[in-house]
């Protein structure tokens, strides 16, 4: 039982420490790498050809299909580990649950349920629509779209893998509760960053908060035995992966990615200072 408390503490401490480390380490290198540059060039070409709204839709659909293609074989691998990994963990947790701590985890795990997050999504969409005034349709459309995007992509992956659920719960692969927390609160943090000028430290701090919320959501789903362990682990990868592509699409729609380059100075403008000096 003590070990379960220790794991709960790790579910908070580890993402709180890992979030900034990932953002300032691999995250920064990835943003400045060749893959990011290639993606930027491709998106720039699409924006030039199709315009920003159409590009945002195309990129979202492409990323959703890519996410499905990646997490389908991962799900098959998770299914193959059910007897070796998931069942021993489920039985181990069953023998060590504490009624008082279980009540807290049942309370917290409801954060990832569909009904409360639907209300959060609607309220956030309305609030940011008011803040964005003439461009109200961007947050209204994007925030509301985040919920069905996660739901249907996760449902397609779950149907393709069809691994079943624990006898103690109805959770499917990958954990939708974790992915919903990441998508819902992630898109809120994204619009906070798009609405107000915040430093990179604030961006990292807010992203880390969402990471902590999602990680403990995974722990609570495991403690309440709604999911297999492999559902939880893959949910912590699936959620950020899906959100990353959606965040790029939102930034495209909002005109923040790729950033328009300032017009280059023409020959006349370049010679103007020399002409003035000569006169």
């Amino acid at each position: 039982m003590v070990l379960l408390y220790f794991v709960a503490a790790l579910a908070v401490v580890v993402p709180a420490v890992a979030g900034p480390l990932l953002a300032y380490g691999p995250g920064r290198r990835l943003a400045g790498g060749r893959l990011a540059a290639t993606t930027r060039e491709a998106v720039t070409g699409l924006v030039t050809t199709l315009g920003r709204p159409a590009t945002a839709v195309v990129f979202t659909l492409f990323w959703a299909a890519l996410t499905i293609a990646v997490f389908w074989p991962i799900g098959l691998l998770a299914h193959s580990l059910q007897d070796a990994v998931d069942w021993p963990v489920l039985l181990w947790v069953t023998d060590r649950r504490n009624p008082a701590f279980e009540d807290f985890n049942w309370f917290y795990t409801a954060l990832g349920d569909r009904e409360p997050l639907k209300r959060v999504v609607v309220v956030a969409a309305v609030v940011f629509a008011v803040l964005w005034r003439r461009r109200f349709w961007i947050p209204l459309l994007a925030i509301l779209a985040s919920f069905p995007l996660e739901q249907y992509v996760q449902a397609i992956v779950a149907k393709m893998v069809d691994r079943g659920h624990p006898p103690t719960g109805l959770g499917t692969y990958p954990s939708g509760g974790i992915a919903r927390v990441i998508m819902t609160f992630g898109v809120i943090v994204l619009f906070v960053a798009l609405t107000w000028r915040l430093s990179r430290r604030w961006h990292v701090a807010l992203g880390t908060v969402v990471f902590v919320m999602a990680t403990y959501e995974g722990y609570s789903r495991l403690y309440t035995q709604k999911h297999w362990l492999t559902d939880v682990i893959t949910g912590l990868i699936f959620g950020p992966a899906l959100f990353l592509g959606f965040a790029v699409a939102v930034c495209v729609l909002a005109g923040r990615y790729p950033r328009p380059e300032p017009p280059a100075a023409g020959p006349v403008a370049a010679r103007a200072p020399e002409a003035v000096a000569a006169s």
Side-chain angles (χ1 to χ4, degrees):
M1 187 165 57
V2 175
L3 186 55
L4 275 176
Y5 294 146
F6 179 71
V7 175
L10 288 180
V12 176
V13 174
V14 170
V17 174
L21 292 178
L22 291 172
Y24 289 110
R28 177 171 288 180
R29 289 194 295 271
L30 183 63
R34 182 178 299 179
L35 179 60
T38 302
T39 302
R40 192 179 301 110
E41 292 177 4
V43 172
T44 300
L46 285 174
V47 169
T48 303
T49 305
L50 304 176
R52 288 190 175 273
T55 299
V57 173
V58 169
F59 191 86
T60 299
L61 295 176
F62 160 76
W63 196 267
L66 180 62
T67 303
I68 293 169
V70 169
F71 281 88
W72 180 18
I74 293 176
L76 298 178
L77 174 62
H79 194 181
S80 69
L81 296 174
Q82 186 167 306
D83 291 338
V85 175
D86 292 320
W87 268 110
V89 171
L90 182 73
L91 296 175
W92 185 82
V93 172
T94 300
D95 293 338
R96 289 164 176 81
R97 291 161 71 188
N98 176 275
F101 196 42
E102 185 174 346
D103 289 341
F104 170 76
N105 280 282
W106 274 109
F107 171 78
Y108 186 89
T109 202
L111 176 67
D113 291 346
R114 289 189 177 90
E115 290 306 317
L117 287 182
K118 283 181 182 179
R119 300 186 186 97
V120 173
V121 165
V122 171
V123 171
V126 171
V127 169
F128 281 102
V130 172
L131 291 173
W132 281 51
R133 299 181 181 179
R134 292 182 179 179
R135 303 179 75 199
F136 71 93
W137 60 274
I138 294 178
L140 193 65
L141 178 63
I143 296 177
L144 291 178
S146 66
F147 192 89
L149 174 66
E150 183 284 325
Q151 179 177 346
Y152 286 110
V153 172
Q154 190 265 343
I156 291 171
V157 175
K159 189 69 175 178
M160 292 173 70
V161 175
D162 193 23
R163 68 167 306 189
H165 53 78
T168 51
L170 299 176
T172 58
Y173 164 89
S175 173
I178 297 173
R180 281 189 292 272
V181 168
I182 293 172
M183 284 292 289
T184 300
F185 294 101
V187 77
I188 291 173
V189 168
L190 175 62
F191 272 96
V192 168
L194 292 175
T195 304
W196 294 285
R197 291 184 178 181
L198 301 175
S199 66
R200 180 175 175 80
R201 289 185 178 180
W202 272 106
H203 294 169
V204 172
L206 292 173
T208 300
V209 169
V210 176
F211 191 21
V212 172
M213 291 171 63
T215 303
Y216 197 86
E217 175 68 19
Y219 175 84
S220 67
R221 296 264 157 168
L222 187 63
Y223 193 95
T224 56
Q225 300 183 307
K226 299 181 73 171
H227 277 287
W228 299 114
L229 174 63
T230 49
D231 293 341
V232 170
I233 293 173
T234 51
L236 288 170
I237 305 172
F238 170 81
L242 184 61
F243 172 74
L244 176 62
F246 185 67
V248 171
V250 170
C251 290
V252 169
L253 185 63
R256 300 289 289 273
Y257 178 86
R259 290 184 178 276
E261 295 183 1
V268 176
R271 289 195 298 266
E274 299 176 2
V276 172
S279 62

